[in-house]
Amino acid sequence: MPSVALPRRAGRRTDLGLLALLLVAGASGVLAFGVGTPLPSRVVAAVHGAAGLGLLLLVPWKAVVVRRSWRRTQGRRDPTAAWALVVLLGLTVVTGVLHTVAGTTVAGVGVLQVHVAAAVGTAVLVVVHAVGSRQRPRRTDASRRALLQTGGLAVGAAALWGAVEGGLRLTGAPGARRRSTGSHERGSGDPDAMPVTQWFTDTVPGDDDGGLELVAGGRTARLRRRDLDRGDTVEAVLDCTGGWFAVQEWRGVRLDRLLAGLDLPGDGSVDVVSVTGYRRRLPLADAGSLLLATHCAGRPLSAGHGAPVRLVAPGRRGYWWVKWVRRVEVVDAPWWLQPPVPLQ
Ligand code: HEM
Ligand code: HEM
Ligand SMILES: Nc1nc2c(c(=O)[nH]1)N[C@H]1C(S)=C(S)[C@@H](COP(=O)(O)O)O[C@H]1N2
Ligand SMILES: [Mo]
């Protein structure tokens, strides 16, 4: 190709802009499942919303790239993968906004579950698409002009996010009352109205009153349910990554009180294991804020919500709140030595 030709791949910056926004949206989306405390979750959700909405700003430019590509290839390329990408990304954005504006389920479908599934599909297809089209960064991408364009895109994305937030407040849509994580309120103070949620494939077990095994320093103690209701109470937010939250008063025994007097490692962890095998490992240093709860809102836990006893982990997302706890074991291993999310 002669050197006087136009840049062979004009529209590169548009594509790289899309790629950057997708990377930020994907990373912040994953991060969103890991944060539960107000400030970090607000920042992550805002960055995520801005990056996701910012994609829309590039649609007019991308349309030029797409039209030119079609003219050039004249139907010689199979468009299926490109169309699948358009559809999946569209579904991702629409479900993201729908969850933000309206709530956790729409016509019985968990909007956020669809959102995450569509996002994963988008990620796979965009890698195939980007690798296939070989759109690489160049040295000139760090030019003053390119930096200004990047800044403009970031400002535009933030403005779009701000406009959505403002719109929610003006219209009083449910989204105006959502939590810092983006979750919508469901059944606060009323456990019967709170959803019963399993992380992945776990199921509510049948009646089990084998009690609780407490394993520490090579010794095992067996505790009955009534040994665990020691009147310690805490008000805490159960915030499910499915997109809902509830504030409840939980009652039972604080973990540090349960472990008092035992021979404990200085910086160990505690494995909290369900009768179903579902498990999470938490730092022993958190024991003062963790509760093994037998009651919620003054009533014994229902089977669905974790009877006879469940973990209450304030500030952590719902998947840490192990239900139907059968064993609590103090271990030397660090808490992060476990799958980042449960596997069942
Ligand atoms: C945000 C998601 C994206 C969507 C929905 C999308 C969609 C499309 C579509 C429909 C086409 C025209 C059909 C085709 O040539 O395959 C196209 C062309 C193209 N895309 Fe994307 N794209 C996206 C992101 C990207 C990214 C991240 C890159 C690279 C970093 C990229 C690079 C290209 C290139 C180079 C072409 C032109 C190919 C040619 O001229 O023949 N796209 N894109
Ligand atoms: C291709 C990747 C993704 C894109 C383009 C995307 C896009 C979006 C958009 C546009 C919104 C609405 C923002 C608003 O209206 O303010 C949203 C919300 C949300 N997304 Fe994503 N998303 C992606 C991946 C993910 C992933 C992987 C997760 C979680 C694992 C996730 C979790 C969420 C959550 C929790 C919200 C609600 C945030 C809030 O209400 O403020 N997203 N997403
Ligand atoms: N054993 C077990 N505990 C579990 C789960 C599970 O699937 N199995 N799901 C977790 C998730 S994802 C959430 S959001 C909360 C939901 O608690 P709830 O059903 O009482 O509302 O329980 C957590 N504890
Ligand atoms: Mo959850």
Side-chain angles (χ1 to χ4, degrees):
M1 188 177 287
S3 59
V4 291
L6 287 170
R8 195 161 57 103
R9 305 230 196 251
R12 265 184 41 266
R13 295 227 180 104
T14 301
D15 289 331
L16 294 180
L18 289 171
L19 187 61
L21 289 174
L22 283 170
L23 288 174
V24 173
S28 58
V30 171
L31 218 56
F33 275 18
V35 292
T37 45
L39 186 63
S41 56
R42 175 150 285 134
V43 172
V44 169
V47 168
H48 183 73
L53 293 169
L55 290 165
L56 300 175
L57 297 174
L58 292 175
V59 168
W61 280 275
K62 184 67 186 187
V64 174
V65 177
V66 171
R67 268 200 298 272
R68 197 185 43 211
S69 162
W70 280 342
R71 234 182 291 122
R72 198 159 46 194
T73 57
Q74 303 274 351
R76 273 172 280 126
R77 195 190 305 161
D78 182 1
T80 317
W83 276 117
L85 174 56
V86 172
V87 169
L88 270 187
L89 180 66
L91 185 64
T92 305
V93 172
V94 167
T95 48
V97 172
L98 205 58
H99 174 267
T100 297
V101 173
T104 56
T105 54
V106 170
V109 179
V111 184
L112 203 51
Q113 272 97 306
V114 178
H115 180 67
V116 174
V120 171
T122 301
V124 172
L125 288 182
V126 92
V127 167
V128 173
H129 177 75
V131 168
S133 56
R134 304 246 162 94
Q135 198 70 291
R136 300 232 172 85
R138 288 190 199 151
R139 208 206 285 270
T140 49
D141 289 335
S143 71
R144 189 182 142 79
R145 189 183 137 114
L147 289 179
L148 281 174
Q149 286 173 338
T150 308
L153 181 60
V155 169
L160 207 51
W161 176 82
V164 170
E165 288 298 311
L168 292 175
R169 277 172 185 70
L170 283 176
T171 57
R177 293 179 299 279
R178 72 201 201 287
R179 205 176 167 246
S180 57
T181 54
S183 292
H184 296 253
E185 198 275 319
R186 299 274 302 275
S188 287
D190 180 9
D192 292 339
M194 180 171 80
V196 169
T197 308
Q198 272 59 260
W199 169 254
F200 194 37
T201 57
D202 212 1
T203 48
V204 180
D207 264 350
D208 165 72
D209 221 3
L212 183 131
E213 271 174 29
L214 178 60
V215 188
R219 309 227 321 245
T220 302
R222 215 167 278 281
L223 300 159
R224 244 92 53 88
R225 180 194 180 118
R226 63 170 180 279
D227 304 323
L228 296 168
D229 179 17
R230 299 201 197 156
D232 292 342
T233 60
V234 63
E235 189 182 76
V237 187
L238 173 50
D239 188 336
C240 175
T241 52
W244 60 268
F245 77 90
V247 188
Q248 308 287 4
E249 190 186 75
W250 305 92
R251 192 176 90 213
V253 58
R254 244 175 42 206
L255 195 60
D256 61 341
R257 291 226 298 152
L258 191 70
L259 298 175
L262 295 172
D263 182 22
L264 303 175
D267 59 349
S269 310
V270 58
D271 280 343
V272 182
V273 188
S274 172
V275 68
T276 64
Y278 184 103
R279 53 162 66 217
R280 290 276 81 197
R281 173 176 293 170
L282 298 98
L284 204 46
D286 286 5
S289 69
L290 299 171
L291 187 83
L292 284 168
T294 54
H295 290 69
C296 181
R299 298 196 297 277
L301 289 177
S302 65
H305 290 312
V309 56
R310 82 173 305 164
L311 185 67
V312 167
R316 290 177 187 264
R317 298 305 290 270
Y319 62 84
W320 290 92
W321 297 44
V322 181
K323 299 192 279 192
W324 318 299
V325 176
R326 184 55 175 282
R327 190 155 54 91
V328 172
E329 179 172 0
V330 175
V331 295
D332 287 323
W335 68 269
W336 43 261
L337 206 61
Q338 68 178 326
V341 293
L343 301 176
Q344 73 184 62

